[in-house]
Amino acid sequence: MVFKVYYQVTIAEVPIRENTKTMYVEGESIRDVRFKLKEEPYNVELVAPVTGAYLEYEKQSDDFKVLELG
């Protein structure tokens, strides 16, 4: 399953909406995705599943690249 992760680049700063970035990660569950990202220096705000029509819409974006983290 593909998840959209909203995050701040650095964990040391207060989250600001304008600085929020997104990435797409493949995983089994929200918990699995958060576990895969725990070693990264990101401040993860939200992990949301992307399925159906929403996934098809996101695939049209030039920024759509699914990360397969181990």
Side-chain angles (χ1 to χ4, degrees):
M1 183 182 280
V2 176
F3 293 87
K4 188 172 186 178
V5 179
Y6 297 85
Y7 68 98
Q8 300 289 319
V9 177
T10 178
I11 201 163
E13 294 181 14
V14 175
I16 300 171
R17 178 194 277 177
E18 290 80 9
N19 295 341
T20 299
K21 308 250 187 261
T22 60
M23 73 172 97
Y24 302 92
V25 178
E26 191 167 310
E28 295 177 18
S29 65
I30 292 172
R31 185 176 183 175
D32 180 46
V33 171
R34 286 188 175 274
F35 181 77
K36 289 178 179 180
L37 292 172
K38 78 175 187 176
E39 298 299 321
E40 300 296 328
Y42 305 134
N43 183 4
V44 177
E45 294 180 30
L46 176 69
V47 179
V50 181
T51 59
Y54 183 39
L55 178 59
E56 295 305 316
Y57 174 77
E58 290 291 338
K59 284 182 179 178
Q60 295 175 10
S61 171
D62 292 336
D63 296 330
F64 184 82
K65 294 179 184 111
V66 178
L67 301 175
E68 295 181 20
L69 305 173

